[in-house]
Amino acid sequence: MATTGRGSADTDAAALRLGAHIRRLRRSRGDTLVQLAELTDLSHPFLSQLERGLAQPSLSSLRRIAVALGTSPIELVAAAEDTAESAAEPPVIEVRRAGDAAPDGPGFAEGTARMLAHSDRPFHPLEYEGRNTSPGDYYVHAEDEFLYVTAGTVMVDLDGETVVLGTGDAVYYAGGVRHRWWSEAGIFQLIVVKERPRVVAVPRAAAAKRGT
């Protein structure tokens, strides 16, 4: 179940950023909170608290929200660390160090993710460490995505076709391709580069159809 309440200042800020990102995606698709509640089978009050940074979703809730909004939990988690809104203009050069902390927020599957660039860029580079040994749910979004394996062996399911990637291997797939990844061997690490979400409103009738 989701947890509510306040923790550290960093956790509060991460929850606010996550909630704001979910709100932006929901509004860009033309959905109301009531419609999102119907699509996810989550309560309207909980979603309202989540968007205001007053609640944190469980993994199950995060997955439902991601599917309904046409994104993936890894992007929602990374959004909790994203501070793009804090800068009026992105810097010309942005450096991330290996020791920079991962976000203090909900995890994605049995893994963690962090943004490798904070500013408002046309694409989102992510560092992801996973531990899931089963495929889990499919995710699909309108934006293209690129995966590069930095450690381990990863099974990547792309629209029902499974590709096995080892360290140093990579795959690029266009927006609209259903995807999921896991490793039967345990821990694996990826660099994920995804286009920034496209703000394209979806008619409410189409939004309702997604829930069928």
Side-chain angles (χ1 to χ4, degrees):
M1 298 297 293
T3 58
T4 60
R6 291 291 178 175
S8 67
D10 287 345
T11 301
D12 289 348
L16 286 169
R17 288 191 293 268
L18 174 62
H21 187 69
I22 290 173
R23 184 188 304 114
R24 283 194 302 273
L25 288 177
R26 173 178 63 78
R27 289 177 174 175
S28 75
R29 298 177 68 83
D31 293 343
T32 66
L33 271 175
V34 171
Q35 288 171 320
L36 184 59
E38 293 175 350
L39 291 171
T40 59
D41 198 27
L42 299 171
S43 73
H44 177 280
F46 166 70
L47 290 172
S48 177
Q49 286 191 321
L50 178 62
E51 289 193 355
R52 289 181 288 139
L54 301 178
Q56 288 190 5
S58 65
L59 171 60
S60 175
S61 297
L62 199 68
R63 285 174 169 169
R64 295 181 192 180
I65 293 168
V67 170
L69 295 179
T71 184
S72 64
I74 191 171
E75 180 170 319
L76 295 182
V77 171
E81 193 211 5
D82 188 3
T83 57
E85 292 77 18
S86 64
E89 294 290 340
V92 176
I93 298 173
E94 187 174 349
V95 177
R96 292 302 306 271
R97 300 295 184 185
D100 290 348
D104 182 13
F108 168 67
E110 292 84 17
T112 57
R114 67 168 181 147
M115 294 289 289
L116 296 178
H118 279 171
S119 300
D120 189 3
R121 307 291 189 183
F123 57 86
H124 285 165
L126 308 168
E127 180 183 65
Y128 174 68
E129 180 177 292
R131 302 178 183 85
N132 52 305
T133 57
S134 59
D137 299 322
Y138 276 112
Y139 300 101
V140 61
H141 41 71
E143 302 79 29
D144 289 9
E145 192 164 74
F146 170 83
L147 302 183
Y148 176 79
V149 182
T150 56
T153 300
V154 183
M155 316 287 285
V156 182
D157 182 341
L158 302 170
D159 270 340
E161 180 178 350
T162 300
V163 179
V164 181
L165 302 179
T167 301
D169 292 341
V171 61
Y172 184 106
Y173 43 92
V177 174
R178 296 184 308 153
H179 56 278
R180 54 187 179 177
W181 57 74
W182 71 100
S183 176
E184 296 176 351
I187 296 177
F188 59 95
Q189 295 177 337
L190 304 173
I191 296 296
V192 183
V193 181
K194 179 182 174 296
E195 286 186 292
R196 190 171 182 84
R198 300 168 187 169
V199 180
V200 180
V202 175
R204 291 182 181 180
K209 186 177 180 180
R210 291 200 306 272
T212 61

